[in-house]
């Protein structure tokens, strides 16, 4: 009973965020446009690569669908760190700390609410654009698998952004940390290029980071055209999810212990 | 003549004030610069990994892409360093915050652009120069032309920012759209020109002039001809004059926000 009541509070946060995201559609339309442009650019790039006669993948069409999946995940994940930083800078965080809910839990619930609006719209955009640029659809079974695993991956990315936002308790501006983590995600996560195409040393380094399970993992089902190893990926995502949750909890615990409130 | 000299010293005063403000938070300043450089270097890993396998992409080699990337990064960095206020133009217009600038005997656009300096811009400029030097495509004798190419690129980036944000005068709050259009401009400018053909190519040299942000200045830095240099300078001047005219036209429609504010 108590658990249900606790969960319902967070569901309420998620629902409010969903309602706000539905109303403020400008950013979502912008992301859809950006999606179409980037897939157009890359479909052209992969055609040029195929012309160059280099067998970097069996088919350039697969690489477009791979990119559609990785971009869908990354564009769906709401950049919650920015709002968190503002809240900490302005001092609003103090008002929110007094509520009978976990501050980071509520922020994550809001991120999931935003994700619930963005992910389906952007998935439809991804598939429509990828089909428009390739005139081809991959086998449906592996493609369907990318949806739940991609959603989980986007939630993991949102949790990572949450952790970055919490660094605002110590840093003047968390944007530089965000840029670098985001670019590491691009490279080690295999955003534009499957990790197998990077040098061996980078592949080994990537395996020690959470980034591959966030992007390349779900997208590789499209590339391999097979649904095998989905359970392994789900377990890996759960394990990294636990790790990120611990990092968020620890950062928030340290921050709230050192927080000094002046004035009233 | 005297007015022009006054404007120059006013612009210099804005820049030095912004520099002092940025330098006051030395740690944050250095961190933004270093992390932006890391950010750009990490992004380039994609091209490095791809061009190891595909050394020639429709006539473009890794060195060519480094010059292109360097020019765009340095041009963008220069814009947000010298005229960082361009990013907030839409907000200033929509929020009625131009009121405080209108009552001062200084050019409104110049003042609005010089209101902010983005420290990360220094990181963009430095990494841009590193990319150009590292490309092995440019000799020291070409340094003046490289600087000209960077300046021309910066002017076109700035002009586009002014035009996109000035749409607020007619369409209301278009901050998100303006920022996304600006992002698209940079995105297109970062990819080799031969990837784009047909109508898109025409668009990239007119409505969304990525061609004058990246490809043409990059060619000036690598293989300059008198005609190319003339085209680059003429295009930069034309876009800047057009942007100033759009802003001035929009300013006639500006409705006060009846707000009080102080700009230091």
């Amino acid at each position: 009973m108590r658990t249900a009541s606790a969960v319902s509070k967070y569901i309420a946060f998620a629902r409010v965020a969903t309602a706000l995201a539905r109303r403020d559609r400008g950013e979502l339309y912008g992301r859809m446009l950006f999606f179409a442009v980037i897939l157009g650019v890359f479909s052209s790039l992969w055609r040029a690569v195929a012309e160059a006669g280099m067998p970097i993948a069996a088919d350039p069409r697969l690489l477009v669908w791979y990119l559609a999946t990785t971009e869908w995940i990354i564009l769906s994940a709401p950049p919650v760190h920015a709002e968190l930083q503002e809240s900490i800078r302005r001092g609003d965080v103090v008002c929110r700390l007094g509520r009978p809910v976990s501050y980071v839990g509520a922020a994550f619930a809001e991120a999931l609410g935003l994700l619930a609006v963005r992910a389906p719209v952007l998935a439809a955009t991804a598939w429509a654009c990828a089909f428009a640029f390739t005139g081809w659809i991959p086998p449906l079974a592996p493609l369907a698998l990318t949806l739940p695993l991609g959603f989980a991956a986007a939630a993991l990315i949102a949790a990572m952004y949450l952790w970055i936002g919490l660094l605002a308790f110590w840093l003047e501006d968390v944007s530089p940390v965000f840029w670098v983590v985001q670019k590491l995600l691009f490279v080690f996560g295999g955003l534009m290029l499957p990790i197998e195409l990077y040098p061996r040393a980078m592949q080994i380094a990537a395996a020690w980071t959470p980034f591959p399970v966030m992007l390349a993992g779900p997208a590789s089902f499209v590339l391999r055209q097979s649904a095998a190893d989905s359970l392994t990926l789900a377990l890996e995502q759960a394990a990294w999810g636990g790790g990120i949750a611990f990092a968020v909890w620890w950062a928030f615990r340290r921050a709230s212990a050192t927080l000094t409130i002046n004035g009233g | 003549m005297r007015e022009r000299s006054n404007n120059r010293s006013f612009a210099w005063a804005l820049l030095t004030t912004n520099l002092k403000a940025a330098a006051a938070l030395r740690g944050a300043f250095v961190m933004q610069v270093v992390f932006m450089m890391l950010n750009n270097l990490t992004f380039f890993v994609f091209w490095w990994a791809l061009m190891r396998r595909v050394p020639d992409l429709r006539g473009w080699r890794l060195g060519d892409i480094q010059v292109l990337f360097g020019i765009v990064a340095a041009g963008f960095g220069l814009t947000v360093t010298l005229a960082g206020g361009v990013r907030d133009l839409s907000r200033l217009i929509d929020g009625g915050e131009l009121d405080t600038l209108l009552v001062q005997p200084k050019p409104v656009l110049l003042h609005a652009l010089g209101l902010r300096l983005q420290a990360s811009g220094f990181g963009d400029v430095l990494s841009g120069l590193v990319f150009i030097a590292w490309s092995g495509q440019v000799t020291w004798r070409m340094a003046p032309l490289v600087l000209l190419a960077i300046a021309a690129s910066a002017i076109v980036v700035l002009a586009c920012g002014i035009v996109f944000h000035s749409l607020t005068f007619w369409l209301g709050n278009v901050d998100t759209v303006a920022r996304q259009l600006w992002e698209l401009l940079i995105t297109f400018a970062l990819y080799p020109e031969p990837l784009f053909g047909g109508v898109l190519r025409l668009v990239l040299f007119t409505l969304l002039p990525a061609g004058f942000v990246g490809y043409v200045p990059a060619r000036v830095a690598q293989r300059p001809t008198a005609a190319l240099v003339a085209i680059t300078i003429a295009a930069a001047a034309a876009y800047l004059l057009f942007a100033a005219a759009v802003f001035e036209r929009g300013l006639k429609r500006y409705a006060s926000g009846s707000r009080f504010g102080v700009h230091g």
Side-chain angles (χ1 to χ4, degrees):
Chain A
M1 191 67 179
R2 224 182 213 184
T3 315
S5 158
V7 170
S8 68
K9 290 180 201 166
Y10 297 104
I11 291 174
F13 275 104
R15 285 177 66 181
V16 170
T18 304
L20 286 173
R22 276 205 190 125
R23 212 183 56 182
D24 186 18
R25 280 171 281 192
E27 196 188 339
L28 188 59
Y29 293 148
R31 280 174 182 245
M32 288 165 73
L33 175 68
F34 183 76
F35 210 138
V37 167
I38 208 76
L39 279 185
V41 170
F42 270 82
S43 64
S44 187
L45 176 66
W46 295 134
R47 272 199 303 273
V49 168
E51 276 170 28
M54 286 301 297
I56 75 164
D59 190 338
R61 293 179 306 180
L62 282 174
L63 287 171
V64 173
W65 277 92
Y66 172 88
L67 182 73
T69 310
T70 55
E71 283 283 354
W72 163 60
I73 295 168
I74 208 150
L75 287 173
S76 297
V80 285
H81 68 284
E83 203 178 317
L84 215 64
Q85 172 172 276
E86 275 310 299
S87 168
I88 294 165
R89 265 189 190 167
R90 284 195 307 256
D92 298 358
V93 63
V94 175
C95 309
R96 299 186 73 174
L97 283 176
R99 292 176 181 173
V101 285
S102 154
Y103 176 68
V104 286
F108 186 62
E110 284 172 351
L112 288 182
L114 285 172
L115 190 57
V117 175
R118 283 179 180 189
V121 177
L122 290 174
T125 311
W127 289 12
C129 290
F131 176 69
F133 289 121
T134 60
W136 176 78
I137 299 176
L140 286 178
L143 192 60
L145 254 182
T146 61
L147 290 177
L149 292 168
F151 190 90
L156 273 181
I157 295 173
M160 190 171 68
Y161 290 164
L162 189 64
W163 174 77
I164 294 172
L166 288 176
L167 297 181
F169 278 108
W170 297 279
L171 301 175
E172 182 71 27
D173 184 6
V174 298
S175 315
V177 181
F178 172 73
W179 300 329
V180 171
V181 170
Q182 192 194 41
K183 293 304 177 294
L184 288 174
L185 178 61
F186 286 6
V187 174
F188 290 134
L191 175 75
M192 294 181 278
L193 208 58
I195 299 170
E196 295 79 38
L197 299 177
Y198 284 112
R200 185 88 191 113
M202 281 180 66
Q203 290 181 36
I204 294 168
W208 288 93
T209 69
F211 305 126
V213 303
M214 294 172 174
L215 295 177
S220 62
F221 291 110
V222 174
L223 209 57
R224 292 199 306 262
Q225 301 188 63
S226 152
D229 297 333
S230 52
L231 188 64
T232 312
L233 177 64
L235 289 173
E236 281 175 355
Q237 284 183 334
W240 279 112
I244 294 171
F246 175 76
V248 168
W249 170 80
W250 186 78
F252 185 66
R253 193 163 162 262
R254 286 289 303 264
S256 42
T258 55
L259 190 67
T260 310
I261 301 166
N262 295 312
Chain B
M1 192 70 176
R2 189 169 172 196
E3 192 185 327
R4 205 175 282 177
S5 161
N6 279 346
N7 288 345
R8 261 203 302 271
S9 45
F10 177 58
W12 180 249
L14 282 173
L15 179 64
T16 47
T17 309
N18 282 333
L19 276 173
K20 279 179 196 161
L25 299 164
R26 202 165 296 162
F29 178 81
V30 171
M31 202 167 89
Q32 289 212 35
V33 173
V34 172
F35 275 52
M36 182 47 89
M37 289 183 74
L38 279 175
N39 172 65
N40 290 347
L41 287 171
T42 318
F43 186 78
F44 201 76
V45 170
F46 162 73
W47 283 111
W48 172 69
L50 181 66
M51 300 301 270
R52 274 175 72 239
R53 289 165 180 267
V54 191
D56 191 306
L57 203 61
R58 290 187 183 162
W60 280 62
R61 305 185 80 83
L62 186 63
D64 301 318
I65 295 175
Q66 279 173 333
V67 174
L68 175 74
F69 203 85
I71 296 282
V72 177
F76 180 80
L78 202 59
T79 301
V80 296
T81 304
L82 299 180
V86 67
R87 300 183 108 166
D88 298 320
L89 213 48
S90 191
R91 194 179 47 75
L92 287 177
I93 298 164
D94 188 56
E97 291 177 45
L98 286 182
D99 291 9
T100 46
L101 310 185
L102 278 164
V103 293
Q104 294 180 36
K106 299 291 174 201
V108 179
L109 181 59
L110 179 68
H111 198 164
L113 295 178
L115 278 177
R116 268 175 192 75
L117 172 149
Q118 207 171 323
S120 60
F122 286 101
D124 278 319
V125 173
L126 287 174
S127 57
L129 294 175
V130 168
F131 276 118
I132 294 167
W134 179 30
S135 71
Q137 304 274 312
V138 179
T139 59
W140 283 109
R141 279 193 321 159
M142 304 283 280
L145 282 172
V146 171
L147 294 179
L148 172 79
I150 292 171
S153 173
I155 288 170
V156 179
V157 171
L158 174 64
C160 289
I162 295 170
V163 172
F164 297 155
H165 284 278
S166 294
L167 293 176
T168 306
F169 285 121
W170 290 273
L171 305 175
N173 187 5
V174 292
D175 187 47
T176 309
V177 177
R179 281 169 189 261
Q180 278 162 347
L181 280 173
W182 220 36
E183 209 171 293
L184 279 187
L185 175 80
I186 303 299
T187 303
F188 274 118
L190 288 173
Y191 292 90
E193 182 190 359
L195 293 183
F196 311 112
V199 181
L200 183 58
R201 198 183 183 87
L202 183 69
V203 170
L204 295 182
F205 280 93
T206 49
L207 290 175
L208 198 69
F212 293 110
V213 173
Y215 326 137
V216 179
R219 214 174 292 167
V220 166
Q222 284 177 290
R223 292 178 285 276
T225 61
L228 208 55
V229 171
I231 289 172
T232 308
I233 295 171
Y239 276 105
L240 189 61
L241 286 174
F242 176 69
V246 169
F247 183 83
E248 286 302 320
R249 195 74 185 264
L251 206 53
K252 291 193 172 78
R253 296 173 55 92
Y254 176 70
S256 166
S258 303
R259 282 191 181 184
F260 291 99
V262 176
H263 289 289

